[in-house]
Amino acid sequence: MQTYTYNENQKLFKKALNLIPTGVYGHLGPAEGCFIPVQSYPFFSSRAKGAYFWDVDGNRFIDYMCAYGPNVLGYNDEDVDMAVAEQMKLGNCTTAPSSIMVDFAELLVDTVEMADWAFFAKNGGDVTSFALMIAKAATGRKKTILVNGGYHGVAPWTQKLGYPGICKEDVVNNIYVDWNNYEQVEKIVKENPNDIACFMATPYHHPVFTDNELPEKDYWQKIRKLCTDYGIVLAIDDVRCGFRLDMKGSDHYFGFKADLMCFCKALGNGYNFSALCGTDALKDAVSSVMYTGSYWLSAVPFAAGIACIKKLKKLDGPKLMQDKGKKLTDGLVEIGKSYGFNLKVTGVPSMWYMRITNDDSLTLHQEWVSECVRRGAFFANHHNLFINCALSDEDIKLTHEIADESFKVVKNNHKEI
């Protein structure tokens, strides 16, 4: 196979560095650590369609990052884009919210099992922050239990003391526990009986740089009962998993009912908005909290969301993506094994994490992933990966061929394995 070159990407990155701090910032940038070695990765896209994006050098990639999650149906999905075009004719950002906001709220309440209401914002971090404010308003308490390694956005309360720009007052009310350790949570709750407003976690543990972990048997059911017994709001950050496990919500998938559920990435197939769903018991608390922003009631994303959710339901999107993900990852594991590499896959197949375990430094894994990227299968090294509904069997077959050749290259470089 021919390997890609990135001359135009590099030229544009040098230009960006002069104009934008770090060129490409945040978790999408080369400085984040998921693109090693950086010379194997494109930095800028020129267009996208279905399961693919093309970079500014004209290279095509089968995209297993899916814009870090929002691409759930396939880029430029015709049904979503048609709904967007129709709404654009009617209006988008207007003084009074469009009636389509109510239509989407009704669809979301009918879709998500635990939802009695829906509130809208623009980003995942908006709704995790709002969930925390609601929990504090409802309980009159100030502390939050969070899971070590969990990610809930970039607001100051989500970050760690010692990070630039963060002071101790930002995080003083956070208490951290280990994932799947119910006894730790129970101990903290009993030691702070009237102080804990909220327990917030993702439905399963999917940190970067670490194997993903599913909940142990009865973990969520025990957490649910503990929160109910002590009057603690149970908030689930379904921003990343939402609609890739279960259309009724990831709490439903794991057999419990959350008080608050945060959605974003797969909500509108790339059109930017987020949603917080909750139970009737918290409706008054929600109404009491001041939270707003520019563009939050724009109509176009609601049109995209209606088309996206309806199509995901029609396709049975979560099952489709789970099946495609299993076919893909089972094949990758077997191909790796044939060359002596132990590729470990964790999480769920529609949103999995993988690493080669033959070395603790992850160098072999980085080397293999970079060879895949240079041949057109876009993975990131240390982040969970995503499936979208547009991924075809031919794409999976080509990815297996790319993986095979990439394993062969790494094997030739490491004959000791």
Side-chain angles (χ1 to χ4, degrees), residues 233-247:
V233 175
L234 176 53
I236 296 301
D237 180 344
D238 214 10
V239 167
R240 209 180 289 181
C241 297
F243 308 119
R244 279 190 166 85
L245 277 68
D246 191 326
M247 292 305 296

Side-chain angles (χ1 to χ4, degrees), residues 310-352:
K310 284 184 174 178
K311 190 162 184 177
L312 281 171
K313 283 183 170 180
K314 185 178 177 183
L315 293 172
D316 194 357
K319 182 179 185 307
L320 184 69
M321 289 183 278
Q322 295 263 23
D323 291 346
K324 288 176 185 286
K326 187 168 189 320
K327 183 173 183 178
L328 174 79
T329 55
D330 282 354
L332 294 176
V333 169
E334 287 304 311
I335 294 164
K337 197 181 298 181
S338 70
Y339 288 96
F341 294 104
N342 179 28
L343 184 69
K344 184 178 182 181
V345 173
T346 54
V348 295
S350 56
M351 208 189 85
W352 80 105

Side-chain angles (χ1 to χ4, degrees), residues 178-197:
D178 296 328
W179 171 252
N180 264 339
N181 192 330
Y182 170 76
E183 288 71 25
Q184 270 189 4
V185 182
E186 184 181 43
K187 182 172 182 291
I188 287 166
V189 168
K190 289 182 177 177
E191 288 174 351
N192 301 269
N194 298 309
D195 286 337
I196 309 296

Side-chain angles (χ1 to χ4, degrees), residues 104-287:
F104 186 71
E106 184 177 38
L107 177 61
L108 209 52
V109 167
D110 289 344
T111 301
V112 177
E113 185 77 8
M114 55 74 67
D116 293 321
W117 51 263
F119 175 97
F120 302 109
K122 276 296 165 196
N123 219 315
D126 295 336
V127 285
T128 56
S129 293
F130 189 48
L132 209 55
M133 293 174 73
I134 293 167
K136 291 175 180 177
T139 62
R141 303 171 182 173
K142 59 185 180 182
K143 293 188 180 296
T144 306
I145 300 176
L146 301 168
V147 175
N148 284 315
Y151 176 78
H152 304 294
V154 294
W157 68 268
T158 68
Q159 303 201 34
K160 300 290 187 296
L161 190 59
Y163 285 17
I166 303 302
C167 56
K168 68 177 182 181
E169 288 81 4
D170 294 322
V171 296
V172 71
N173 287 315
N174 293 348
I175 302 173
Y176 295 94
V177 296
D178 296 328
W179 171 252
N180 264 339
N181 192 330
Y182 170 76
E183 288 71 25
Q184 270 189 4
V185 182
E186 184 181 43
K187 182 172 182 291
I188 287 166
V189 168
K190 289 182 177 177
E191 288 174 351
N192 301 269
N194 298 309
D195 286 337
I196 309 296
C198 184
F199 179 91
M200 182 180 286
T202 52
Y204 77 89
H205 199 41
H206 46 69
V208 293
F209 289 89
T210 307
D211 293 345
N212 289 186
E213 295 181 68
L214 299 179
E216 291 179 352
K217 186 177 183 299
D218 298 332
Y219 172 75
W220 275 123
Q221 287 69 29
K222 288 191 289 188
I223 293 287
R224 172 68 274 177
K225 184 175 185 309
L226 186 70
C227 288
T228 301
D229 290 349
Y230 284 83
I232 298 166
V233 175
L234 176 53
I236 296 301
D237 180 344
D238 214 10
V239 167
R240 209 180 289 181
C241 297
F243 308 119
R244 279 190 166 85
L245 277 68
D246 191 326
M247 292 305 296
K248 294 183 178 181
S250 297
D251 60 340
H252 184 266
Y253 182 82
F254 288 118
F256 70 101
K257 182 178 178 181
D259 298 315
L260 296 171
M261 292 280 290
C262 308
F263 295 98
C264 185
K265 290 182 182 294
L267 209 53
N269 203 48
Y271 288 89
N272 60 314
F273 72 132
S274 58
L276 180 69
C277 291
T279 61
D280 270 337
L282 292 170
K283 204 168 184 178
D284 288 344
V286 177
S287 302

